[in-house]
Amino acid sequence: MLVYCDRMSLVGRGSEQSRVERLLADAREERSGALGLRGSAGMGKSALLDHAVSIARTGGMQVVRATGVESDAALAYGGLHQLLFPHFDRLDALPAPQAAALRCAFGLAGGEDTNRFLIAAGTLSLLAEVAEDAPLLCVIDDLQWLDQGSAEALLFAARRFVADPIALLFAMRETPMPVETTGVEVVELSGLAAPDAARLLDDHARGLVEPVRSRVLAESAGNPLAIIELGSSRLAAGDADASDPVGPLPVPRRVQDTFRRQIVDLPEPTQRALLVAATDTAAPLETILYVIEALGGAADDLAPAERSRMIKINGRIAFRHPLVRAAAYQDAPLHRRIEVHRAYADGLRADADADRRAWHLAAATTAPDESVAVELERVAERALHRGGAIAVAAAYDRAGRLSADRELKARRLAQASQAAFDAGQADRAARLAAEAMSLTTDPGVRAAASYTRGAVEYERTDPRVDAELTLEAAALVRDADPERAALNLYEAVHAARHAAAHDLLQRAAELMQEFAAPPGWAPVVAALLGWVELYDGRPQRAADRIRELYPAAPGGTQDLMWRITAGIGGLMIADDELVVGQVEDLLAEVRATGAAAWIPYTLNLLATARLFRGEFTDARACAAEGASVSDELGNVTERLANRSLEVWLHAVAGDEERCRGLAEQILPQARTRHRVNAAIAEWGLGMLELSARRFSAALDGLDRVSRSPGGQDPFLIRALPDLVEAAVRSGRPDRADEPMARLRDWAEHVDRPVATALLLRCRALLADDANAWPLYAEALRIHERSGGPYERARTQLVYGEWLRRRRRRTEAKAQLGAAVSAFDRLGAKLWAERARGELAAFGQRDDEPRSNGPLDLLTPQELQVVRLAGAGRTNKEIAAQLFLSPRTVGHHLYKAYPKLGVTARAELSSLV
């Protein structure tokens, strides 16, 4: 695009220039950065971008550039194509799944349906690859008009670059729905100060007389483009007064009116030629000239517009400002715009330009037309394979509007609804789904729309609503489409569990018992029934149902659902060690395939498994990444689920301030969004009181958790030993009766060592002196083989406390000393202090601060990188798995080495 660099100096933008220059200087020093410039049209954003480009090229930086175009916002990954096209020859250097995703997105290759997360990761990797040659400036103008997939990919990359010689610079207009740029600093461009505005006007319209000069300054409100255009036009018109009233329109519209008046002054053939160019700015010059000639014009018709500097022709036609293009298109009569769109459709090839041709046909069609609707449906199908969810939604939506048949319209709108949800447009998805349901009685279409509405409500309001809608959908297609019914039942049970909705779990169980599940789904449905039985306190058959899933999943559409169900069910029945290995494999697969929506869900499951095993450092890393990826995806519910685990982890670390602060921040929402994980966080708060010997507070808090809806979940059976201990230490063993009954029933039927050891510890706490000793001894014998270091240390602590009170000093000191050492290694500060307090009763002081291991000194990101490096992965392999650049991986290793006391990569394997 031609901007005002040759006409508009950067008057009054000194601080903005300095910030842009600092961004470029940091990139040359291998400190990645991103900056957004936001302001209304004409504020000088494009001029600042050109200033950055000029400085970058002078300093030896590479530059890639793209500009959003309003009419192209529905074309999947058109912005990325424009930006990265010169570097397509480097795709082979990327991780294979990312390269394949980009090729598919750009229409360079066919393949399976891809997804936006993998395309975003490929964008990051490709930009990092280009920057290996020389520092890189990536410039995006009019971000608000870039297609959503491209914008998401670039902002994803901007947030994850750390140590690459890359600067990303975005410019965007103020819009009613501002562009979401979370994680990117944004500089707001306001109007120029009065002295700067006057200086700019005098530079471009010297000789403008009063009171016209004052009127221009007043009307322009400091907008640089308005100052130049209003001043120049009034100078050229020779205005001698300012008697016309000031209109109420904002400055950009007034500037557009100025451009409109300039266009009206052009010859009629030139106005028509400008309309053709404005209708499709991405079209090649030869196509634009073809359409001009098809409408009776000639290439020379553009000359007056070029002489007046409204456009610049250099291989393409570029308008000097988006408002010039807007005026040329929006002010043309409707019949002329339709005529131009139809001419484009006639001139574009049905094979190579099929998508653009279909959209021009749609723009030229004002009444239902099934042939055009079919063309748009094909556009949606092609966009689906390229991973452009927003483009899929737009095409299906428009196809629905052009459908003459009511049932076809309903089906297409339902498909648009699902795509809109996949694109993160929850409100639009809900509206389209509701409209589709109002048009049809077809069970399949209604079930699809209900499923989407449920997914929207899961994220927007409450998983309970999702469960209600997906149960309704399952009932609609139970006999006609068993596969879809099974998928809806899977979603309903998961959502009802997260909502702790016992009544909906019962409804789901009734449907599943009456349902003849397809072969690939039958074990999953059986396992889900096992979940409900555990929830109801009937574990007799549940463990067997769940363990039927443990063999390898069958592949295909059920694979993820099968393995997630197996993982959650495994933790419900204390198969912790098996679950960790299986979920680690699943996580590696969803990372490799870019199944973005499953990454935070899988990380949450892995974090929970590691938490149960006492692997707190790794659990923190999983929960932190799960929350971060949830933020990337806009997944509020999964973010809250992962942050809830962090509350528990702060509690076990004895970090009261962070534990309570995070709980206050997230629990109000988590209690409605994800009641099970909210209950885990509340368990953490109770456990914090228990570790600090505030036994009455611990008893009250843990009792509330056990009686809460979320506390009825099988995961929260793991909190019952804490409740029993709090009851005993508070002198209220009677309050342990009900939790002991639940714990005993569960442990005896799941029949796993960790469950048995927890039950034995609780029985010992409640036993008389004659029976307690063998129970403690047997619990510790089992802990030596399974259950993890934390539960073993907890048993050693209560056993040591029992021994001390019976004056068995040597045995007590051995158990308490072992507990202190284990708690120190785990970073469980308050538990260690409690054990030290018991030792102090023997006169044994042990107040020396203990390190809980060098790995705990690392950030969650550093820990992940170190673990993978210690396993022998290269920086490039680690980058592909964690969606980082290889340089950023190297940066994390550089920061980690001093913390770990190592100097070489080879030393990492012994640490991890």
Side-chain angles (χ1 to χ4, degrees):
M1 185 198 315
L2 178 66
V3 294
Y4 276 97
C5 279
D6 55 341
R7 296 183 61 203
M8 185 174 75
S9 59
L10 289 168
V11 174
R13 296 296 185 207
S15 63
E16 291 88 350
Q17 285 178 264
S18 296
R19 181 64 191 88
V20 167
E21 290 163 10
R22 188 163 72 251
L23 176 77
L24 301 181
D26 285 345
R28 287 193 290 268
E29 295 297 322
E30 298 188 3
R31 294 190 297 271
S32 308
L35 181 68
L37 304 172
R38 178 159 48 218
S40 58
M43 280 296 178
K45 302 182 297 296
S46 296
L48 280 165
L49 296 187
D50 276 4
H51 174 71
V53 168
S54 176
I55 290 177
R57 286 179 172 151
T58 301
M61 295 181 72
Q62 305 175 87
V63 177
V64 291
R65 192 166 188 173
T67 300
V69 178
E70 190 172 11
S71 62
D72 294 347
L75 296 176
Y77 298 104
L80 277 186
H81 190 282
Q82 182 187 161
L83 186 79
L84 301 176
F85 177 76
H87 303 288
F88 281 1
D89 59 331
R90 294 175 178 264
L91 288 176
D92 286 339
L94 273 55
Q98 296 177 17
L102 284 179
R103 286 193 176 95
C104 194
F106 298 149
L108 300 176
E112 298 296 322
D113 297 351
T114 189
N115 63 72
R116 58 188 186 179
F117 199 75
L118 203 54
I119 291 166
T123 300
L124 180 149
S125 297
L126 184 53
L127 290 174
E129 176 68 24
V130 173
E132 288 296 315
D133 294 344
L136 176 67
L137 171 63
C138 181
V139 174
I140 299 92
D141 201 357
D142 282 323
L143 178 65
Q144 78 282 350
W145 288 336
L146 209 66
D147 65 275
Q148 184 174 340
S150 296
E152 286 178 348
L154 290 165
L155 290 166
F156 173 89
R159 287 187 289 267
R160 299 180 85 85
F161 284 126
V162 174
D164 294 84
I166 295 176
L168 294 100
L169 188 57
F170 303 94
M172 67 210 85
R173 283 198 201 176
E174 292 176 341
T175 56
M177 294 287 289
V179 179
E180 182 59 57
T181 55
T182 302
V184 174
E185 178 190 353
V186 175
V187 173
E188 303 286 346
L189 272 64
S190 55
L192 298 179
D196 293 323
R199 176 184 157 199
L200 183 63
L201 178 59
D202 291 342
D203 285 347
H204 291 272
R206 191 174 299 278
L208 196 63
V209 299
E210 291 291 356
V212 177
R213 181 177 181 277
S214 296
R215 273 290 305 282
V216 169
L217 289 173
E219 289 192 24
S220 61
N223 184 296
L225 179 61
I227 291 168
I228 292 171
E229 291 299 332
L230 291 175
S232 300
S233 64
R234 294 201 175 191
L235 181 66
D239 273 343
D241 60 61
S243 59
D244 54 311
V246 176
L249 298 176
V251 167
R253 177 59 184 272
R254 196 172 293 136
V255 174
Q256 185 168 324
D257 287 344
T258 299
F259 291 140
R260 178 183 55 78
R261 288 193 294 271
Q262 292 174 12
I263 291 170
V264 169
D265 289 340
L266 295 171
E268 195 279 332
T270 302
Q271 293 182 47
R272 183 178 58 201
L274 276 180
L275 172 60
V276 172
T279 298
D280 194 339
T281 55
L285 180 59
E286 57 268 26
T287 302
I288 293 174
L289 295 178
Y290 169 86
V291 174
I292 290 172
E293 292 169 1
L295 294 172
D300 289 347
D301 293 343
L302 291 167
E306 191 173 18
R307 284 195 298 271
S308 66
R309 300 168 63 88
M310 285 189 174
I311 59 172
K312 182 178 181 179
I313 303 176
N314 185 16
R316 304 185 79 88
I317 296 179
F319 287 83
R320 92 168 175 233
H321 193 276
L323 290 178
V324 178
R325 175 176 179 259
Y329 183 83
Q330 293 171 7
D331 292 318
L334 176 62
H335 72 277
R336 284 289 178 85
R337 297 202 301 268
I338 291 173
E339 180 183 57
V340 171
H341 282 295
R342 187 168 288 119
Y344 267 111
D346 292 341
L348 290 169
R349 293 167 53 193
D351 50 357
D353 300 308
D355 287 5
R356 302 191 81 87
R357 180 178 179 277
W359 279 113
H360 281 297
L361 278 172
T365 304
T366 58
D369 186 319
E370 183 59 23
S371 65
V372 179
V374 168
E375 290 293 324
L376 284 170
E377 200 166 27
R378 291 171 182 157
V379 170
E381 291 164 359
R382 287 189 290 269
L384 183 64
H385 286 288
R386 295 197 297 271
I390 189 65
V392 175
Y396 274 131
D397 191 350
R398 183 68 174 131
R401 307 299 164 196
L402 293 176
S403 302
D405 180 81
R406 186 182 177 95
E407 293 296 330
L408 283 174
K409 180 177 182 178
R411 178 177 60 78
R412 287 161 177 161
L413 292 182
Q415 289 169 305
S417 172
Q418 180 61 57
F421 178 77
D422 293 341
Q425 296 183 328
D427 289 342
R428 183 184 183 191
R431 175 177 55 77
L432 287 166
E435 186 177 359
M437 292 187 73
S438 73
L439 292 169
T440 183
T441 58
D442 181 273
V445 175
R446 291 183 64 83
S450 289
Y451 185 87
T452 302
R453 288 177 62 203
V456 170
E457 295 306 324
Y458 182 93
E459 286 306 321
R460 192 164 62 179
T461 58
D462 186 345
R464 180 184 177 88
V465 182
D466 180 15
E468 290 172 336
L469 288 166
T470 46
L471 280 172
E472 175 187 329
L476 282 170
V477 293
R478 183 181 61 187
D479 299 324
D481 190 345
E483 287 280 344
R484 184 181 291 277
L487 176 62
N488 277 277
L489 284 168
Y490 167 88
E491 177 68 19
V493 172
H494 279 260
R497 175 180 168 262
H498 294 166
H502 194 190
D503 58 325
L504 298 182
L505 285 170
Q506 290 301 321
R507 280 175 52 190
E510 291 167 8
L511 271 173
M512 288 187 290
Q513 287 164 348
E514 300 168 0
F515 174 55
W521 279 100
V524 176
V525 170
L528 293 175
L529 278 168
W531 288 15
V532 179
E533 289 169 345
L534 283 171
Y535 202 105
D536 287 344
R538 295 182 288 110
Q540 293 82 358
R541 295 182 56 203
D544 290 340
R545 291 183 186 273
I546 290 168
R547 288 180 182 132
E548 286 180 19
L549 287 179
Y550 286 177
T557 57
Q558 308 98 338
D559 184 84
L560 274 170
M561 290 74 171
W562 180 299
R563 295 164 74 181
I564 288 287
T565 305
I568 294 172
L571 294 184
M572 289 178 175
I573 58 175
D575 284 337
D576 303 347
E577 295 181 9
L578 181 66
V579 168
V580 167
Q582 290 185 340
V583 177
E584 282 180 330
D585 290 344
L586 176 60
L587 179 60
E589 289 182 32
V590 296
R591 287 190 195 278
T593 58
W598 291 98
I599 291 175
Y601 200 91
T602 308
L603 282 165
N604 181 267
L605 178 55
L606 184 56
T608 306
R610 292 198 177 283
L611 178 153
F612 286 164
R613 281 165 51 97
E615 297 167 355
F616 301 140
T617 300
D618 288 317
R620 288 188 193 96
C622 290
E625 188 191 359
S628 174
V629 176
S630 297
D631 281 338
E632 294 279 3
L633 299 171
N635 188 328
V636 177
T637 301
E638 283 308 310
R639 176 184 177 276
L640 290 168
N642 281 287
R643 298 306 303 275
S644 295
L645 293 181
E646 289 179 336
V647 173
W648 195 100
L649 292 164
H650 289 321
V652 81
D655 192 337
E656 291 205 48
E657 183 177 352
R658 294 177 71 185
C659 176
R660 296 190 190 282
L662 182 58
E664 288 176 8
Q665 176 189 334
I666 61 100
L667 275 176
Q669 267 193 298
R671 288 186 179 114
T672 57
R673 293 273 197 161
H674 203 304
R675 290 180 178 87
V676 173
N677 274 49
I680 290 176
E682 290 165 331
W683 166 22
L685 291 171
M687 183 254 292
L688 181 70
E689 303 288 3
L690 182 62
S691 65
R693 301 179 61 87
R694 297 187 286 263
F695 297 127
S696 293
L699 175 59
D700 290 342
L702 291 166
D703 188 61
R704 281 194 300 272
V705 171
S706 74
R707 297 179 189 282
S708 70
Q712 302 301 306
D713 187 87
F715 271 21
L716 272 296
I717 287 175
R718 305 295 184 101
L720 296 180
D722 285 352
L723 175 54
V724 170
E725 183 179 341
V728 171
R729 292 292 183 250
S730 299
R732 294 294 309 276
D734 55 299
R735 292 180 64 177
D737 292 345
E738 191 274 336
M740 270 299 292
R742 285 176 59 194
L743 182 64
R744 182 182 297 108
D745 199 28
W746 172 75
E748 289 175 353
H749 285 98
V750 302
D751 191 25
R752 280 298 177 263
V754 63
T756 302
L758 292 174
L759 178 62
L760 287 167
R761 182 170 84 208
C762 291
R763 289 177 58 199
L765 280 164
L766 291 163
D768 57 29
D769 284 357
N771 294 309
W773 173 79
L775 294 170
Y776 280 127
E778 180 63 12
L780 282 175
R781 186 187 67 78
I782 296 173
H783 277 313
E784 290 299 323
R785 300 193 310 273
S786 62
Y790 174 67
E791 294 298 350
R792 181 172 66 247
R794 290 284 304 276
T795 300
Q796 288 168 332
L797 172 60
V798 293
Y799 184 29
E801 290 172 336
W802 183 85
L803 290 167
R804 185 185 72 77
R805 284 159 179 74
R806 280 135 193 91
R807 292 181 168 79
R808 295 165 64 172
R809 295 172 58 90
T810 302
E811 295 167 281
K813 288 167 68 175
Q815 295 299 331
L816 292 170
V820 167
S821 297
F823 288 137
D824 279 339
R825 286 193 300 273
L826 292 166
K829 183 179 72 172
L830 290 180
W831 286 112
E833 289 177 4
R834 179 172 152 184
R836 283 193 176 91
E838 291 290 320
L839 285 172
F842 294 117
Q844 180 175 331
R845 304 297 300 179
D846 183 12
D847 298 327
E848 180 182 347
R850 303 291 179 87
S851 168
N852 50 325
L855 292 179
D856 268 4
L857 301 174
L858 305 180
T859 67
Q861 188 84 89
E862 288 167 355
L863 176 63
Q864 289 178 307
V865 169
V866 163
R867 284 205 176 281
L868 291 169
R873 304 286 179 86
T874 66
N875 283 11
K876 198 164 187 177
E877 290 170 337
I878 297 169
Q881 183 160 339
L882 299 182
F883 308 116
L884 302 171
S885 72
R887 282 179 183 260
T888 296
V889 170
H891 169 79
H892 286 309
L893 287 172
Y894 175 79
K895 300 282 282 185
Y897 283 3
K899 297 178 184 180
L900 298 174
V902 303
T903 57
R905 198 184 195 99
E907 299 175 65
L908 295 177
S909 60
S910 62
L911 287 172
V912 300

mmCIF file of all heavy atoms in Angstrom, residues 141 167 242 314 316 508 556 562 609 792 824 859:
data_model
loop_
_atom_site.group_PDB
_atom_site.id
_atom_site.type_symbol
_atom_site.label_atom_id
_atom_site.label_comp_id
_atom_site.label_asym_id
_atom_site.label_seq_id
_atom_site.Cartn_x
_atom_site.Cartn_y
_atom_site.Cartn_z
ATOM 1 N N ASP A 141 0.046 -4.513 8.575
ATOM 2 C CA ASP A 141 -0.805 -3.325 8.616
ATOM 3 C C ASP A 141 -2.266 -3.761 8.546
ATOM 4 O O ASP A 141 -2.585 -4.812 7.965
ATOM 5 C CB ASP A 141 -0.468 -2.403 7.440
ATOM 6 C CG ASP A 141 -0.907 -0.967 7.692
ATOM 7 O OD1 ASP A 141 -1.523 -0.708 8.752
ATOM 8 O OD2 ASP A 141 -0.634 -0.105 6.840
ATOM 9 N N ALA A 167 11.476 -9.013 15.243
ATOM 10 C CA ALA A 167 10.559 -7.981 15.733
ATOM 11 C C ALA A 167 9.265 -8.084 14.936
ATOM 12 O O ALA A 167 9.299 -8.202 13.712
ATOM 13 C CB ALA A 167 11.166 -6.591 15.569
ATOM 14 N N ALA A 242 -15.457 30.182 6.310
ATOM 15 C CA ALA A 242 -15.769 28.887 6.935
ATOM 16 C C ALA A 242 -17.200 28.891 7.405
ATOM 17 O O ALA A 242 -17.517 28.540 8.531
ATOM 18 C CB ALA A 242 -14.814 28.625 8.092
ATOM 19 N N ASN A 314 2.186 -0.642 -9.606
ATOM 20 C CA ASN A 314 3.540 -1.192 -9.713
ATOM 21 C C ASN A 314 3.428 -2.710 -9.611
ATOM 22 O O ASN A 314 3.757 -3.325 -8.605
ATOM 23 C CB ASN A 314 4.422 -0.630 -8.592
ATOM 24 C CG ASN A 314 5.861 -1.090 -8.741
ATOM 25 O OD1 ASN A 314 6.278 -1.558 -9.787
ATOM 26 N ND2 ASN A 314 6.612 -0.974 -7.658
ATOM 27 N N ARG A 316 0.875 -4.265 -9.124
ATOM 28 C CA ARG A 316 -0.454 -4.368 -8.536
ATOM 29 C C ARG A 316 -1.003 -2.956 -8.420
ATOM 30 O O ARG A 316 -0.294 -1.978 -8.633
ATOM 31 C CB ARG A 316 -0.406 -5.016 -7.143
ATOM 32 C CG ARG A 316 0.252 -6.382 -7.120
ATOM 33 C CD ARG A 316 0.139 -6.995 -5.734
ATOM 34 N NE ARG A 316 -1.186 -7.566 -5.514
ATOM 35 C CZ ARG A 316 -1.524 -8.813 -5.845
ATOM 36 N NH1 ARG A 316 -0.645 -9.614 -6.410
ATOM 37 N NH2 ARG A 316 -2.741 -9.263 -5.619
ATOM 38 N N ALA A 508 -27.619 -39.623 32.003
ATOM 39 C CA ALA A 508 -26.690 -40.185 31.023
ATOM 40 C C ALA A 508 -26.569 -41.691 31.199
ATOM 41 O O ALA A 508 -26.546 -42.451 30.211
ATOM 42 C CB ALA A 508 -25.328 -39.516 31.160
ATOM 43 N N GLY A 556 -8.799 -44.067 14.924
ATOM 44 C CA GLY A 556 -10.001 -43.471 14.347
ATOM 45 C C GLY A 556 -10.568 -42.394 15.244
ATOM 46 O O GLY A 556 -9.920 -41.869 16.147
ATOM 47 N N TRP A 562 -11.347 -42.429 23.840
ATOM 48 C CA TRP A 562 -11.027 -43.705 24.489
ATOM 49 C C TRP A 562 -9.909 -43.499 25.502
ATOM 50 O O TRP A 562 -10.019 -43.884 26.673
ATOM 51 C CB TRP A 562 -10.607 -44.697 23.400
ATOM 52 C CG TRP A 562 -10.235 -46.088 23.831
ATOM 53 C CD1 TRP A 562 -9.228 -46.442 24.664
ATOM 54 C CD2 TRP A 562 -10.866 -47.306 23.427
ATOM 55 N NE1 TRP A 562 -9.171 -47.802 24.810
ATOM 56 C CE2 TRP A 562 -10.166 -48.356 24.064
ATOM 57 C CE3 TRP A 562 -11.934 -47.617 22.594
ATOM 58 C CZ2 TRP A 562 -10.504 -49.693 23.886
ATOM 59 C CZ3 TRP A 562 -12.271 -48.963 22.409
ATOM 60 C CH2 TRP A 562 -11.570 -49.982 23.055
ATOM 61 N N ALA A 609 -2.355 -36.603 37.748
ATOM 62 C CA ALA A 609 -1.707 -37.890 37.996
ATOM 63 C C ALA A 609 -0.385 -37.697 38.739
ATOM 64 O O ALA A 609 -0.066 -38.431 39.684
ATOM 65 C CB ALA A 609 -1.482 -38.624 36.675
ATOM 66 N N ARG A 792 4.246 -41.612 51.351
ATOM 67 C CA ARG A 792 5.108 -42.353 52.285
ATOM 68 C C ARG A 792 5.546 -41.438 53.428
ATOM 69 O O ARG A 792 5.493 -41.824 54.609
ATOM 70 C CB ARG A 792 6.333 -42.910 51.558
ATOM 71 C CG ARG A 792 7.245 -43.721 52.489
ATOM 72 C CD ARG A 792 8.354 -44.437 51.733
ATOM 73 N NE ARG A 792 9.297 -43.512 51.127
ATOM 74 C CZ ARG A 792 9.450 -43.336 49.824
ATOM 75 N NH1 ARG A 792 8.699 -44.026 48.964
ATOM 76 N NH2 ARG A 792 10.342 -42.485 49.348
ATOM 77 N N ASP A 824 11.508 -32.152 52.701
ATOM 78 C CA ASP A 824 12.466 -31.168 52.184
ATOM 79 C C ASP A 824 12.718 -31.371 50.699
ATOM 80 O O ASP A 824 12.748 -30.416 49.921
ATOM 81 C CB ASP A 824 13.786 -31.255 52.950
ATOM 82 C CG ASP A 824 13.752 -30.524 54.284
ATOM 83 O OD1 ASP A 824 12.893 -29.640 54.444
ATOM 84 O OD2 ASP A 824 14.576 -30.833 55.152
ATOM 85 N N THR A 859 11.960 -22.511 36.211
ATOM 86 C CA THR A 859 10.594 -22.151 35.844
ATOM 87 C C THR A 859 9.948 -23.372 35.182
ATOM 88 O O THR A 859 10.644 -24.290 34.721
ATOM 89 C CB THR A 859 10.577 -20.981 34.859
ATOM 90 O OG1 THR A 859 11.150 -21.421 33.609
ATOM 91 C CG2 THR A 859 11.371 -19.790 35.392
#
